[in-house]
């Protein structure tokens, strides 16, 4: 199975990124995590991304706040799927990061999830890997069935409560 690279622009992003780790662990997807900055360590970032495919990565998750150029800087250097997580900061509640991550020029796509949406970023990475991994696809299907059952159970409980009150 391919590995997912998780890159954060700062270690202050770690509390958000831990949700991605939990999802990747849940599905048994191997990952590596690194702190690499598009602005403060551009050469280290370039070297990491340049060899990512050869080292067995199948997708890259990139999380950054404020200017949030990390996902775009990564996507500019690879054709691997890149998933950007805009991280909420004290500045503009993360809207700046969202716009920086989502507004990529034509030809250099970055899949972008919600502000602080690390769990969905990891799920998207799992879905990307599942294109070639039937067992992983089956686990995703199971997860969706479980979520459906949970929602239906909550609806049934609500209906019962509403009918008891009358």
């Amino acid at each position: 199975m391919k590995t997912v690279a998780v890159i954060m622009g700062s270690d202050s992003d770690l509390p958000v990124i831990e949700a991605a780790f939990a999802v990747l662990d849940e599905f048994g997807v191997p990952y590596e995590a690194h702190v690499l900055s598009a602005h403060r360590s551009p050469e280290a970032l370039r070297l990491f991304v340049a060899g990512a495919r050869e080292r067995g990565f199948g997708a890259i998750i990139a999380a950054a706040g404020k200017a949030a150029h990390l996902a775009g800087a990564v996507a500019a250097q690879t054709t691997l799927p890149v998933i950007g997580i805009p991280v909420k900061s004290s500045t503009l509640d993360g809207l700046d990061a969202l716009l920086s991550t989502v507004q990529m020029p034509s030809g250099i796509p970055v899949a972008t999830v919600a502000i602080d949406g690390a769990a969905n970023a990891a799920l998207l990475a799992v879905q990307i890997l599942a294109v070639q991994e039937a067992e992983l696809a089956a686990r995703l299907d199971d997860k969706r069935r479980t979520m459906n059952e949970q929602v239906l159970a909550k609806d049934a409980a609500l209906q019962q409560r509403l009918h008891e009150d009358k």
Side-chain angles (χ1 to χ4, degrees), residues 5-116:
V6 181
I7 304 171
M8 59 199 100
S10 170
D11 62 348
S12 65
D13 300 328
L14 185 57
V16 170
I17 298 308
E18 287 174 341
F21 297 160
V23 169
L24 295 170
D25 287 338
E26 175 186 354
F27 284 94
V29 172
Y31 60 91
E32 281 185 24
H34 299 276
V35 175
L36 295 168
S37 171
H39 302 114
R40 294 180 298 261
S41 62
E43 183 61 14
L45 177 66
R46 187 192 67 74
L47 290 172
F48 179 83
V49 174
R53 185 181 301 277
E54 292 74 26
R55 289 193 315 278
F57 292 100
I60 300 173
I61 296 171
K66 298 190 179 189
H69 293 142
L70 183 61
V74 169
Q77 299 177 65
T78 186
T79 57
L80 286 172
V82 176
I83 304 160
I85 305 170
V87 176
K88 183 178 180 177
S89 66
S90 59
T91 307
L92 301 175
D93 285 332
L95 185 57
D96 50 347
L98 174 64
L99 294 174
S100 293
T101 306
V102 78
Q103 292 292 348
M104 291 299 299
S106 182
I108 309 295
V110 170
T112 306
V113 297
I115 296 168
D116 291 351

